[in-house]
Amino acid sequence: NRTAKFLHFFPSNLELSKDHLIFIEGQCSPVPASTVRVGDVLSNGQRVDNIQEITKVGIYAPFTPSGTINVNGIAASNYVTLQDNCHALQLGPIKTPFTFHWLEHTFQFPHRLWCCYLGFDDSGVSENGLGKWVEGPYHICLAALRLHPMIMIIFLLPSLLVLQLFALAEMMITA
């Protein structure tokens, strides 16, 4: 029952945190809600006529096996940006091709393996309302993003190798 700020997109009834990723027409990958502008077209073909910041009680972060969710007919990602107004990872001045949607979805493979493919229960939620599979890695990633860009690159290279192995493993399991 935490209070949080959301962006309400009109005329749709979609409400998202500013960091939540959403699919809009003309973009290959989902973008942070904070970057959506009046005139943009949502995935359901509806044009955004107005955006208002609202405050509400209750924060929900559902995770689906696909990494996407359909809310009021509009496609959104289960994930958020970890860098303000960026849809892809930036290492200092370097813009990488690695979208936060891809990075986070691939990073969640062990979680999906545990719950979806092996059938184990995942009902644990932390005091902050985040799933226990999410909270630790989320804070580690935020700390890593505060490092010097060269140190981030050193940290990123082995991490990307592990993520690629996760992606390959999931492709083999679901094929």
Side-chain angles (χ1 to χ4, degrees):
N1 288 340
R2 293 177 44 201
T3 301
K5 291 184 178 184
F6 297 90
L7 298 175
H8 185 142
F9 297 100
F10 291 94
S12 77
N13 284 323
L14 185 64
E15 298 170 352
L16 300 167
S17 71
K18 70 177 184 66
D19 293 332
H20 205 94
L21 299 170
I22 180 173
F23 293 90
I24 61 170
E25 283 190 7
Q27 298 294 324
C28 296
S29 59
V31 299
S34 62
T35 65
V36 176
R37 300 290 176 249
V38 169
D40 284 346
V41 178
L42 302 175
S43 64
N44 67 348
Q46 196 169 42
R47 184 180 173 275
V48 176
D49 292 335
N50 188 19
I51 304 170
Q52 290 183 355
E53 187 175 281
I54 60 172
T55 302
K56 292 186 95 170
V57 175
I59 301 171
Y60 305 96
F63 283 91
T64 63
S66 68
T68 61
I69 190 166
N70 191 313
V71 181
N72 299 334
I74 301 164
S77 170
N78 290 172
Y79 309 112
V80 297
T81 182
L82 298 177
Q83 295 174 315
D84 285 341
N85 302 319
C86 295
H87 80 284
L89 179 66
Q90 285 191 219
L91 302 172
I94 302 168
K95 293 181 180 185
T96 75
F98 305 109
T99 68
F100 284 108
H101 179 80
W102 181 85
L103 287 167
E104 294 170 41
H105 188 66
T106 305
F107 191 83
Q108 283 294 313
F109 168 68
H111 183 202
R112 286 191 304 283
L113 176 66
W114 184 258
C115 300
C116 299
Y117 304 126
L118 299 177
F120 290 101
D121 182 32
D122 175 35
S123 55
V125 177
S126 72
E127 292 177 14
N128 295 329
L130 291 172
K132 292 190 177 185
W133 283 87
V134 175
E135 185 172 38
Y138 173 75
H139 291 293
I140 290 168
C141 289
L142 288 180
L145 290 172
R146 290 190 293 266
L147 298 173
H148 186 278
M150 287 306 295
I151 295 173
M152 283 196 305
I153 290 171
I154 292 168
F155 173 75
L156 180 66
L157 292 177
S159 299
L160 286 174
L161 178 60
V162 169
L163 291 176
Q164 286 292 354
L165 291 173
F166 285 172
L168 180 60
E170 188 165 28
M171 284 190 320
M172 292 170 56
I173 288 171
T174 59

